[in-house]
Amino acid sequence: MSPEKLTRMANQIAGFFKTQPGRDQAERVAQHLKDYWDPRMRAELKAHAKGHEGELDELVRRALPLI
Amino acid sequence: MKDFIIPWNDDRDMGTPAREGAPVTLTIDGFEVTVPEGTSVMRAAALAGIQVPKLCATDSLEAFGSCRLCVVEIEGRRGTPASCTTPVAAGMVVRTQSEQVKKIRKGVMELYISDHPLDCLTCAANGDCELQDMAGAVGLRDVRYTAPEDGMRTHFARNTSGEANPEWLPKDDSNPYFTYDPAKCIVCNRCVRACEEVQGTFALTIEGRGFESRVSAGAAGDDFLSSDCVSCGACVQACPTATLQEKSVIELGTPTRSVITTCAYCGVGCSFKAELNGDELVRMVPYKHGAANRGHSCVKGRFAWGYAQHADRILNPMIRDSIDQPWREVSWEEAIGFAAARLRGIQEKHGRKSVGVITSSRCTNEETYLVQKLARAVFRNNNTDTCARVCHSPTGYGLGQTFGTSAGTQNFDSVMHTDVAVIIGANPTDGHPVFASRLKKRLRQGAKLIVIDPRRIDLVKSTHVEAAHHLALRPGTNVAVVTAMAHVIVTEGLFDEDFIRSRCDWDEFEEYAEFVSDVRHSPEMTEMLTGVPADALRAAARLYATGGNGAIYYGLGVTEHSQGSTTVMAIANLAMLTGNIGREGVGVNPLRGQNNVQGSCDMGSFPHELPGYRHVKNADVRAIFEAAWGIEIDPEPGLRIPNMLDAAVDGQFKGLYCQGEDILQSDPDTKHVAAGLAAMECVIVHDLFLNETANYAHVFLPGSTFLEKDGTFTNAERRINRVRKVMAPRNGYADWEITQLLANAMGAGWHYTHPSQIMDEIAATTPGFAHVDYAMLEERGSVQWPCNDAAPEGSPIMHVDGFVRGKGRFIVTEYVATEERTGPRFPLLLTTGRILSQYNVGAQTRRTANTVWHTEDVLEIHPHDAEVRGITEGAWVKLASRSGETALRAHLTDRVSPGVVYTTFHHPGTQANVITTDYSDWATNCPEYKVTAVQVGLSNGPTEWQESYEAQAERSRRILPAAE
């Protein structure tokens, strides 16, 4: 799938969870991706992340190792 | 097939509406009767089985007391009071039949009949006419009065003494569905009262006085079509004669049998009596005991059912190897075999997850359940989604997170106890008209209204309805507005602390209160962003918090945004803050778009959850279905509709079974949807018509209409209503049978012989449905889930003693602007919606006479924006976004604010979705239909794209003659 679209969607998710109280925002981003994204989408995002870290929200970067 | 005899099917007209009150006992014709205080003598008699003759009274309307036919004698009272306007009193002794009242009634009838044509045998209401019935009941045998040749004339004779009769008026047949024949009118006022009391449109009136009194639609010079009439049919329903008569009855005759069923249009889920002769449908009449509609209807359900018999319906299965070929009609066996072999072939070549399904929100629960079961148990993946993805998926997520269940909290009756109604991003008078009529009735009783919508919808100001506040926000700023309301409620101390302490998590509330109290959420700070004046927003928030029972109703203007889920949570926060949850008159109520959106979500259509909203990751839930189905279920979520299309463009997703949905027309970014469909190797469209998606299909399986099958629909109030087979499927099979054929051709081994067996399987596997079965629905008419050991009678109102998830959860809702922004190239914001006479992609309504009200989609634009572009009323304009462009005609109106334009998506020729983008809700991928940056400019006519689309559609719909 288009890496730009996956990146945008993941950053949108991070955009919500970063506003939430607590310290587990990265875990919650990871949980959201696991709960609602087909594994292929997660795998493609992870693959794309390598070398494109700059495109990803910091929270997504922290969440990716958890999925 | 025979009619159902249903115990609660007592259709008698009780004359006046039911009342609630302390019991009062009286005697009628020697029988002791006990009824609630406030009941009329007429109704009390009817309840005792005694029908007092009547003409101007009917139990959907308040008593009027004009016809004087219902007079009775009451001991100790002088004269002969009208039983419809006389309330019962304890110890009252009533005689409904005496020499005196018989004489009065006969005299009244004689006068009525002296001015009524006696063409009963050729009259369309013959056998269905209350005037005829009453003439019989009072024993009228002759009419002594005739119109003097040189004096008073009748209203019905076209010609008295050779000269034209000025009292005679021609029939008004301007409405496509019913006629108004003034010659047959007895001026009982029932139509006028129905238009006011039931529908709330006030389109009808009585013109003139005395003998000159005539029913009149609209202003002088108007006919029914040009008046404000919305063709809901309430007047036709109320008319006791043939004055207001369905054209279908005039053409086909009075129906001889009826079946109670559920409308297949919007999420209100009205109950109807389908009335037929043989298997020919004559009319659909709203069912007075329907718990969702209470005897009311709108133009779609009441009249727009002709699509079921339309010549465009495809009745034979068709296949083709590739989409550039014409269709070939084949047998069911060949079509199903072709489809099954292709899907299996794709799975062998591209893997188990390369195919999927889209379940239909127009089909029954049972059919939807089978389609998701096909994905999970036969395809062996979770690639199932439904059109709720593009409408109310954020409701599922948002209410699930805050309350613990993804459904509205109330029944529709609840609105009659509401003091302050808040309508957010919904247009009930067009989208959910029968609910809107109930709401308007409540508003006329004094309830207050707050409208939050970029557009001035009809409810903002219409006859006898005016919103206390209209917050005309800029599209895309819902979260900022709703959060600012919460700011006002928290900082001004208007929240319900007792409720929050007992029902919600207090720590989460404190975090939320701190967040929302920040000055950046104040109406003064958000005003620049949202365009909503701070003082109006403060006043609205105060009204909602302090005005008594506050109920929020919302629609797709809330969900179809990049922050759709966040807005749903913000709405839930508001309700919890003010304690407006868990009793009559309050709540959070998503107005569902399609007839069975609620049901299709309940039935596990989403790729991440099994029936009953239980995530596929939970082994205990999978175990239930694995035991029932004898297979192993994939624990990982599957693809959602937009993901399926993305994966298809990428070559990973190759086969789709799409039941009763037209994704090419209804989903955003048409070009992307087309590219996705074109990239697939097997698209199976299962529908009534060759819809737009079918342009890219390889297999077409003809569907059955809601009139042709048994099943259930679940409406927006979680009400499970029966859909009954009124006639045999014209295509040969009900839709659930077709899905079963496909499943079995792929080796499933299903053996359902009736949808009731599917419901039994649903009840056995899904806790909220545990007590639901067809026998119960026969007995009770309908039931609202959850219906199980904890709530054996069902659940009209949810979260009564506590939230489904335990403690209600406040969630921080920070406004995040959508990435879709206006700029120099695209300076305007487009928002989309629908109108009363058309439904969704219009596949059904465009094939009915409803097109008389809406023949094409038009672009609403503010006169200021039009003027600077040189656009005049009716001009062709080009509407362009970064996704695409289309052309349509402009309509100049200040309903939209400057900077905002609006259109509908009912016509494939316009294809409004070629404009909308692929931006979507962060949590659910629900598309952001409601905000697209666009430019508008003058144009000469349809765009090149529209012309090429039309040509491609034309080509792809070719059908080869059937081989002998």
Side-chain angles (χ1 to χ4, degrees):
Chain A
M1 262 170 264
S2 140
E4 294 75 33
K5 206 182 243 184
L6 292 174
T7 302
R8 188 173 76 226
M9 282 158 56
N11 286 346
Q12 261 187 297
I13 293 166
F16 175 78
F17 285 108
K18 77 167 55 158
T19 66
Q20 297 302 301
R23 289 200 189 81
D24 60 346
Q25 290 93 343
E27 285 78 7
R28 292 174 71 183
V29 170
Q31 193 58 48
H32 190 90
L33 292 172
K34 282 197 280 190
D35 282 351
Y36 299 102
W37 280 30
D38 180 283
R40 284 173 286 179
M41 294 163 64
R42 280 148 33 198
E44 284 180 33
L45 179 66
K46 281 180 97 161
H48 177 70
K50 291 195 183 82
H52 298 85
E53 285 82 2
E55 295 169 15
L56 293 172
D57 190 286
E58 176 260 336
L59 257 190
V60 178
R61 287 204 299 273
R62 277 169 48 207
L64 282 185
L66 306 173
I67 60 173
Chain B
M1 207 186 68
K2 74 184 276 301
D3 251 0
F4 287 90
I5 308 292
I6 298 168
W8 36 265
N9 182 9
D10 179 356
D11 262 3
R12 284 181 307 147
D13 185 347
M14 301 294 175
T16 64
R19 290 283 184 265
E20 284 172 10
V24 173
T25 301
L26 70 161
T27 309
I28 301 178
D29 294 344
F31 297 102
E32 202 164 87
V33 191
T34 302
V35 294
E37 194 180 354
T39 303
S40 69
V41 169
M42 173 182 280
R43 187 177 177 92
L47 289 167
I50 298 164
Q51 292 281 357
V52 180
K54 63 178 185 59
L55 280 171
C56 73
T58 186
D59 59 11
S60 61
L61 304 171
E62 293 301 324
F64 196 57
S66 84
C67 76
R68 312 308 296 175
L69 200 62
C70 71
V71 292
V72 293
E73 287 184 15
I74 299 175
E75 261 180 33
R77 294 206 186 175
R78 282 192 303 175
T80 49
S83 62
C84 64
T85 51
T86 306
V88 295
M92 190 182 249
V93 178
V94 178
R95 289 178 63 206
T96 69
Q97 199 76 343
S98 71
E99 285 313 311
Q100 194 189 359
V101 299
K102 277 157 61 179
K103 197 172 158 194
I104 294 171
R105 288 178 191 155
K106 207 181 268 194
V108 168
M109 276 312 295
E110 193 175 357
L111 281 165
Y112 271 115
I113 299 302
S114 71
D115 192 17
H116 194 85
L118 297 179
D119 60 350
C120 294
L121 281 179
T122 52
C123 176
N126 186 17
D128 184 25
C129 172
E130 292 180 40
L131 190 67
Q132 195 178 42
D133 295 345
M134 290 307 115
V138 305
L140 184 69
R141 294 294 169 257
D142 61 340
V143 177
R144 292 163 294 169
Y145 312 113
T146 50
E149 283 187 10
D150 53 351
M152 208 178 194
R153 296 178 171 93
T154 67
H155 290 105
F156 67 87
R158 288 192 71 157
N159 201 323
T160 43
S161 73
E163 280 173 41
N165 174 6
E167 300 294 344
W168 179 87
L169 296 175
K171 220 179 195 182
D172 175 353
D173 59 3
S174 59
N175 183 292
Y177 298 117
F178 62 84
T179 61
Y180 164 53
D181 185 354
K184 295 192 168 164
C185 181
I186 59 170
V187 203
C188 64
N189 281 252
R190 274 162 66 162
C191 55
V192 177
R193 287 146 63 210
C195 194
E196 293 177 6
E197 292 177 33
V198 179
Q199 167 57 28
T201 292
F202 296 78
L204 301 182
T205 187
I206 300 288
E207 203 177 64
R209 302 172 66 175
F211 193 70
E212 305 300 320
S213 306
R214 312 302 282 260
V215 171
S216 168
D222 270 330
D223 56 19
F224 268 76
L225 191 62
S226 66
S227 74
D228 288 342
C229 168
V230 291
S231 197
C232 69
C235 57
V236 183
Q237 190 65 6
C239 180
T241 68
T243 308
L244 290 159
Q245 184 74 59
E246 296 92 347
K247 287 183 176 174
S248 61
V249 173
I250 296 173
E251 187 191 335
L252 304 171
T254 38
T256 49
R257 70 181 186 100
S258 70
V259 182
I260 291 155
T261 191
T262 304
C263 178
Y265 280 114
C266 78
V268 176
C270 297
S271 297
F272 276 88
K273 275 170 79 177
E275 297 190 341
L276 305 96
N277 281 321
D279 69 348
E280 183 173 51
L281 187 60
V282 176
R283 66 177 167 189
M284 296 285 283
V285 179
Y287 182 50
K288 68 193 279 189
H289 298 298
N293 56 318
R294 304 283 177 208
H296 191 34
S297 60
C298 81
V299 61
K300 296 189 283 284
R302 177 76 153 89
F303 296 117
W305 40 264
Y307 69 88
Q309 280 81 35
H310 197 275
D312 283 354
R313 246 188 96 179
I314 303 291
L315 300 174
N316 296 306
M318 303 189 298
I319 59 173
R320 59 184 170 190
D321 280 317
S322 62
I323 58 170
D324 53 3
Q325 295 177 346
W327 285 106
R328 195 155 54 84
E329 286 189 356
V330 295
S331 66
W332 276 102
E333 202 180 1
E334 189 177 348
I336 295 285
F338 179 88
R342 279 217 166 185
L343 290 175
R344 277 294 183 231
I346 290 169
Q347 285 193 300
E348 278 161 24
K349 199 165 140 201
H350 300 282
R352 192 161 50 86
K353 295 190 175 187
S354 58
V355 298
V357 300
I358 297 178
T359 75
S360 176
S361 296
R362 293 175 191 171
C363 286
T364 64
N365 285 316
E366 293 76 3
E367 286 162 345
T368 301
Y369 177 87
L370 284 197
V371 175
Q372 62 88 31
K373 181 175 172 178
L374 175 73
R376 296 197 155 105
V378 183
F379 295 177
R380 305 292 300 280
N381 64 38
N382 285 314
N383 291 335
T384 168
D385 208 359
T386 187
C387 87
R389 173 66 50 213
V390 300
C391 66
H392 266 294
S393 52
T395 292
Y397 182 83
L399 295 185
Q401 293 289 316
T402 48
F403 297 163
T405 187
S406 45
T409 62
Q410 309 298 115
N411 57 7
F412 285 132
D413 286 349
S414 162
V415 75
M416 297 315 288
H417 302 272
T418 295
D419 300 310
V420 179
V422 186
I423 307 286
I424 311 180
N427 185 7
T429 52
D430 285 47
H432 303 85
V434 170
F435 164 71
S437 289
R438 304 281 298 277
L439 171 64
K440 287 197 284 186
K441 188 172 197 168
R442 183 62 187 158
L443 294 174
R444 291 196 302 275
Q445 290 171 355
K448 298 280 192 295
L449 175 67
I450 298 165
V451 173
I452 304 179
D453 200 292
R455 212 167 141 258
R456 196 183 67 234
I457 59 171
D458 281 350
L459 279 173
V460 171
K461 194 173 185 333
S462 58
T463 317
H464 296 287
V465 167
E466 185 167 6
H469 305 285
H470 174 209
L471 311 185
L473 76 178
R474 200 163 285 141
T477 61
N478 287 332
V479 170
V481 169
V482 180
T483 305
M485 286 178 74
H487 171 93
V488 175
I489 292 167
V490 170
T491 57
E492 296 189 7
L494 306 176
F495 55 91
D496 183 342
E497 184 170 339
D498 291 344
F499 180 90
I500 298 167
R501 280 192 184 277
S502 63
R503 301 285 301 274
C504 305
D505 186 301
W506 185 256
D507 291 340
E508 279 168 353
F509 167 71
E510 287 192 314
E511 279 173 350
Y512 173 77
E514 192 189 330
F515 157 79
V516 87
S517 300
D518 192 291
V519 72
R520 73 180 189 279
H521 300 301
S522 70
E524 291 73 18
M525 292 291 279
T526 52
E527 178 173 340
M528 283 302 286
L529 169 75
T530 62
V532 177
D535 52 347
L537 192 142
R538 281 193 182 271
R542 288 169 192 146
L543 176 61
Y544 172 69
T546 63
N549 284 342
I552 300 174
Y553 292 86
Y554 70 88
L556 306 185
V558 160
T559 54
E560 289 175 346
H561 287 277
S562 63
Q563 276 201 296
S565 291
T566 314
T567 310
V568 173
M569 294 188 278
I571 287 170
N573 288 340
L574 273 192
M576 290 189 290
L577 271 182
T578 52
N580 278 315
I581 281 286
R583 60 178 194 278
E584 273 192 315
V586 299
V588 173
N589 305 276
L591 293 170
R592 301 276 178 171
Q594 304 217 47
N595 51 326
N596 202 34
V597 177
Q598 182 70 54
S600 69
C601 297
D602 300 344
M603 291 299 106
S605 294
F606 287 142
H608 67 278
E609 59 194 13
L610 288 155
Y613 303 99
R614 291 165 295 169
H615 204 286
V616 290
K617 69 183 175 187
N618 298 318
D620 55 334
V621 181
R622 287 201 310 279
I624 296 169
F625 291 93
E626 286 171 347
W629 299 345
I631 46 94
E632 202 177 314
I633 292 173
D634 186 342
E636 289 285 358
L639 296 167
R640 301 172 283 195
I641 295 172
N643 311 146
M644 288 180 193
L645 294 164
D646 290 342
V649 171
D650 256 23
Q652 300 173 20
F653 187 83
K654 295 283 188 185
L656 177 69
Y657 171 41
C658 180
Q659 182 179 67
E661 188 174 351
D662 191 0
I663 55 169
L664 185 62
Q665 194 182 340
S666 67
D667 285 30
D669 197 0
T670 307
K671 287 179 183 170
H672 179 65
V673 177
L677 288 168
M680 294 186 206
E681 290 172 10
C682 181
V683 175
I684 305 167
V685 167
H686 181 170
D687 209 291
L688 299 176
F689 305 103
L690 276 174
N691 60 20
E692 306 307 306
T693 307
N695 297 347
Y696 292 89
H698 306 85
V699 181
F700 186 88
L701 303 175
S704 52
T705 72
F706 74 112
L707 297 166
E708 300 169 350
K709 58 197 180 187
D710 280 306
T712 55
F713 291 153
T714 307
N715 74 356
E717 38 166 16
R718 295 169 280 103
R719 186 181 302 284
I720 305 163
N721 264 316
R722 268 303 307 276
V723 177
R724 292 192 177 85
K725 187 172 170 177
V726 171
M727 57 181 74
R730 293 182 65 211
N731 56 323
Y733 290 109
D735 294 325
W736 61 271
E737 294 178 288
I738 295 165
T739 304
Q740 174 163 270
L741 286 173
L742 180 61
N744 286 345
M746 295 181 75
W750 295 351
H751 303 288
Y752 303 105
T753 57
H754 191 269
S756 62
Q757 298 159 349
I758 306 170
M759 181 52 85
D760 292 343
E761 186 175 314
I762 295 165
T765 52
T766 308
F769 284 70
H771 281 206
V772 180
D773 63 32
Y774 277 33
M776 177 221 237
L777 294 172
E778 280 315 307
E779 191 186 314
R780 298 190 33 187
S782 66
V783 69
Q784 288 174 269
W785 69 254
C787 177
N788 47 27
D789 285 343
E793 298 297 306
S795 310
I797 292 171
M798 293 196 81
H799 317 298
V800 173
D801 299 314
F803 286 99
V804 168
R805 71 181 300 277
K807 292 281 188 187
R809 184 171 159 219
F810 282 95
I811 295 179
V812 165
T813 54
E814 187 78 66
Y815 169 70
V816 180
T818 170
E819 291 176 44
E820 182 70 11
R821 285 177 196 148
T822 53
R825 277 183 68 207
F826 302 114
L828 302 170
L829 283 180
L830 168 74
T831 184
T832 58
R834 63 162 135 164
I835 58 134
L836 171 67
S837 58
Q838 300 283 357
Y839 176 72
N840 201 274
V841 296
Q844 293 141 291
T845 44
R846 277 186 284 111
R847 292 180 171 95
T848 69
N850 275 26
T851 46
V852 72
W853 289 282
H854 184 87
T855 48
E856 59 186 330
D857 296 319
V858 296
L859 186 77
E860 289 189 2
I861 183 167
H862 192 276
H864 292 173
D865 291 325
E867 195 180 356
V868 297
R869 290 169 175 79
I871 294 166
T872 51
E873 177 69 27
W876 274 96
V877 292
K878 189 173 83 175
L879 176 67
S881 74
R882 62 185 171 82
S883 287
E885 56 185 48
T886 189
L888 67 175
R889 288 179 195 278
H891 173 52
L892 276 51
T893 173
D894 64 357
R895 267 181 186 251
V896 289
S897 307
V900 178
V901 292
Y902 167 89
T903 189
T904 49
F905 60 100
H906 301 305
H907 294 270
T910 325
Q911 212 46 303
N913 280 323
V914 78
I915 304 302
T916 51
T917 69
D918 64 352
Y919 283 168
S920 65
D921 173 47
W922 67 268
T924 66
N925 273 170
C926 179
E928 189 167 50
Y929 289 105
K930 301 293 184 184
V931 188
T932 311
V934 294
Q935 179 57 295
V936 178
L938 279 170
S939 131
N940 294 325
T943 61
E944 219 168 274
W945 183 84
Q946 279 167 294
E947 280 168 2
S948 72
Y949 180 90
E950 180 65 36
Q952 192 267 350
E954 191 78 16
R955 253 197 331 278
S956 71
R957 291 197 176 113
R958 288 170 299 158
I959 302 174
L960 287 179
E964 288 302 317

